[in-house]
Each structure stands twice: as C-alpha cells, then as structure tokens.
C-alpha cells in the first residue's frame, strides 16, 4: 500500500531509523516475545503498527505482533473501520469492547478534562488483554512531541522534571510499556499517514475538549520550532543527556558529601 515516490522513501527511512534507534538504545526487543500493539485509529498508532511491521518484514524485529483496538463505547464510533482494515491488511488483531466512556462521563462533570481517567481505564484493560494473549509488552504510539509536551506540563504545572520514558514496567511488574516512536517527529507521522491513506478515526471524547494544558504546550513548542528550527530535536536529545550535579535534587547527587576545598591562610591563598 505504500507509495513508491522518492519523498516517501526518505520519510519512511527516517522514521524507521528513529524507531530502530529507540528499540536498540533502550533494549526493547528480545527474541521470541509477543507484543500487544495498541491501535486507536489515529495517525500515530497506525504509523507505529506499519513501521513495526516494516521492521519485522526486514528481519530487524524478532518478536510477534498482535494489534489491539479497545472500543471504549464512544458515541458514533465507527466500529467497522479498524476490523475491516486490519483484516484486509492481513494483520493479526483483537478487537475488545469495554464501555469506559460511560464511566468517564458519569464520574466527571461536564467540561472536565477526561484524558487522565480515560487513559487509566484504557491502560488497565490493555494490561488485562496483554496477559490474556501471553504478551510481555504493551506498545504505545507516543512520539517526540508527546514526550516534550509531558515534560513541559510537569515543569510548569507539576513542579518536577519528568517526561515519557521509552520503557517502563507496570505496577504489577508483569507487563512492560514500550514507546518505540519516542524519537519520531509528529509532522513526519502526519505526512506518513497521508501517504499511506490510513482510515483515521477521530476521538470524539478528548478531541472535543478545548483549552487542555497539553494543547498549550503543543502551541508553545510549535512556536519555538517555527522561530528556531531544529529545537525539538535538541530538546528530545537533552532528555537523555542529564547532568545531575547541575540540578537541585540531592536524591540524584550527593551535594552534602562534597568536601569543601581548603582555602589556605597564606599570601598565596
């Protein structure tokens, strides 16, 4: 289904290179494992699945992939699109229905930010499905911009330095969460989705809410990138180049253990 243009080939190679770097740098892939690849119907998860399958086809990803969509019961959700596309593409998949939409709208007042609760409920169900399918990892489609936006949200609103880790273990210690697209740029994924003509499904839950903190961070980062091209790449690399002794956290660096240099008393002091 991929076009054969020079432009697309360059784009695909760049995304593949970024994904391979993350997988290899953070030791994500172990031969013989099975991954549950979460696919929502958005451009990012479609792109992630296509790139993972590309790597597997090239013999560069020695794991089994199972695509999974969690139908959360959102009104007007086109239930037929993903199963038809996955089946037509010959992709192993599981479609799971779980009405978390009603839980979110019942628990939170109208106008509240749904993303946090919706995400927790979705993640819990995906962990369950991963266990049922014998998967050691849940693979999510977060990209460079998602990580940077999270970093600045934590910086501005949470008073801490934290972003999205490329690899972590869930609280129960049995399922890893992997983000192999952590170095992939969102504009590249948008172009990739356009070229591949993925049948995009919009999110009518969080997508309908305006004024979210994340949108403000996205606008700020886009403005910085417009005025100073290349800053996003610099920032994502900075998250992996931490100098603990130049921050203010005594849990990361033993400031109290530093010995004061002797100043001496003579004329040469």
């Amino acid at each position: 289904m991929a076009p054969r243009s020079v432009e697309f080939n360059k784009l695909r190679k760049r995304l593949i290179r970024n994904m391979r770097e993350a997988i290899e740098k953070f030791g994500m892939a172990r031969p013989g494992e099975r991954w549950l690849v979460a696919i929502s119907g958005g451009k990012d998860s479609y792109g992630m699945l296509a790139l993972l399958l590309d790597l597997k086809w090239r013999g560069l990803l020695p794991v089994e992939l199972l695509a999974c969509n969690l139908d959360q019961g959102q009104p007007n959700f086109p239930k037929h699109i993903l199963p038809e596309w996955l089946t037509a593409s010959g992709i192993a998949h599981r479609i799971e229905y779980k009405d978390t939409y009603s839980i979110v709208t019942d628990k939170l007042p109208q106008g509240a930010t749904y993303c946090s609760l919706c995400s927790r409920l979705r993640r819990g169900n995906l962990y369950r499905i991963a266990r049922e399918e014998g998967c050691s990892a849940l693979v999510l489609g977060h990209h460079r911009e998602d990580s940077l936006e999270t970093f600045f949200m934590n910086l501005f609103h949470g008073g801490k330095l934290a972003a999205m880790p490329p690899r972590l273990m869930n609280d129960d210690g049995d399922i890893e969460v992997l983000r192999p697209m952590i170095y992939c740029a969102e504009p590249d994924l948008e172009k990739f989705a356009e070229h591949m003509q993925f049948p995009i499904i919009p999110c009518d839950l969080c997508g309908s809410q305006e004024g979210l903190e994340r949108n403000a961070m996205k606008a700020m980062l886009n403005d910085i990138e417009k005025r100073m091209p290349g800053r996003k790449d610099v920032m994502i690399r900075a998250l992996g180049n931490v100098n603990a002794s130049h921050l203010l956290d005594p849990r990361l660096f033993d400031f109290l253990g530093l010995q004061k240099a002797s100043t001496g008393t003579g004329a040469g002091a």
Side-chain angles (χ1 to χ4, degrees):
M1 296 169 61
R4 298 182 178 274
S5 67
V6 173
E7 177 189 2
F8 177 78
N9 285 335
K10 288 181 178 179
L11 173 64
R12 179 172 61 180
K13 286 180 180 178
R14 183 164 61 249
L15 287 168
I16 287 289
R17 183 174 63 249
N18 290 335
M19 179 176 275
R20 283 192 68 188
E21 180 184 358
I23 291 173
E24 292 173 5
K25 183 175 183 177
F26 301 107
M28 295 183 185
R30 291 182 293 274
E33 290 189 332
R34 195 179 199 209
W35 288 0
L36 189 75
V37 183
I39 179 167
S40 65
K43 68 180 191 316
D44 303 328
S45 60
Y46 273 123
M48 175 180 65
L49 179 60
L51 294 168
L52 289 172
L53 288 169
D54 197 332
L55 282 176
K56 186 170 176 60
W57 176 77
R58 296 170 187 272
L60 299 173
L61 187 64
V63 301
E64 182 182 350
L65 303 175
L66 177 67
C68 178
N69 172 250
L70 180 65
D71 179 353
Q72 297 179 260
Q74 297 171 352
N76 304 317
F77 181 77
K79 299 176 181 293
H80 64 287
I81 290 181
L82 275 169
E84 290 179 358
W85 183 83
L86 290 164
T87 299
S89 301
I91 299 171
H93 63 276
R94 172 172 169 174
I95 306 296
E96 181 84 1
Y97 176 78
K98 194 71 174 181
D99 184 8
T100 63
Y101 175 85
S102 297
I103 298 174
V104 171
T105 54
D106 180 63
K107 296 284 186 183
L108 298 176
Q110 187 174 4
T113 300
Y114 296 149
C115 294
S116 179
L117 178 57
C118 178
S119 177
R120 289 200 302 272
L121 293 172
R122 180 173 61 251
R123 189 74 61 86
N125 279 286
L126 289 172
Y127 288 152
R128 171 183 56 80
I129 296 168
R131 295 184 188 102
E132 292 173 358
E133 295 289 346
C135 296
S136 60
L138 169 63
V139 190
L140 303 178
H142 295 123
H143 47 64
R144 179 188 70 179
E145 276 73 4
D146 289 323
S147 186
L148 291 175
E149 290 160 18
T150 299
F151 173 80
F152 281 104
M153 286 172 66
N154 282 322
L155 177 66
F156 292 163
H157 302 288
K160 61 182 178 181
L161 298 181
M164 286 181 170
R167 179 182 176 188
L168 60 87
M169 186 65 71
N170 71 338
D171 291 339
D172 291 333
D174 63 338
I175 304 292
E176 282 192 67
V177 176
L178 305 177
R179 295 183 172 100
M181 295 203 305
I182 205 71
Y183 290 135
C184 295
E186 184 175 23
D188 282 348
L189 290 166
E190 290 173 349
K191 294 175 184 176
F192 187 74
E194 291 173 5
H195 281 294
M196 293 292 290
Q197 299 181 4
F198 295 133
I200 304 298
I201 302 173
C203 176
D204 293 328
L205 184 59
C206 58
S208 64
Q209 294 179 279
E210 298 179 355
L212 298 178
E213 294 172 356
R214 185 170 292 276
N215 290 343
M217 299 301 104
K218 182 182 291 291
M220 180 192 73
L221 286 165
N222 287 339
D223 180 61
I224 292 173
E225 184 70 16
K226 182 178 180 180
R227 290 186 289 109
M228 296 179 285
R231 293 313 95 186
K232 287 182 179 179
D233 271 337
V234 172
M235 285 188 277
I236 197 69
R237 299 297 170 179
L239 294 181
N241 187 24
V242 178
N243 191 338
S245 67
H246 285 57
L247 296 175
L248 311 179
D249 193 339
R251 296 171 301 178
L252 300 180
F253 185 79
D254 186 14
F255 294 100
L256 298 178
L258 289 175
Q259 296 297 319
K260 293 183 179 181
S262 175
T263 58
T265 57

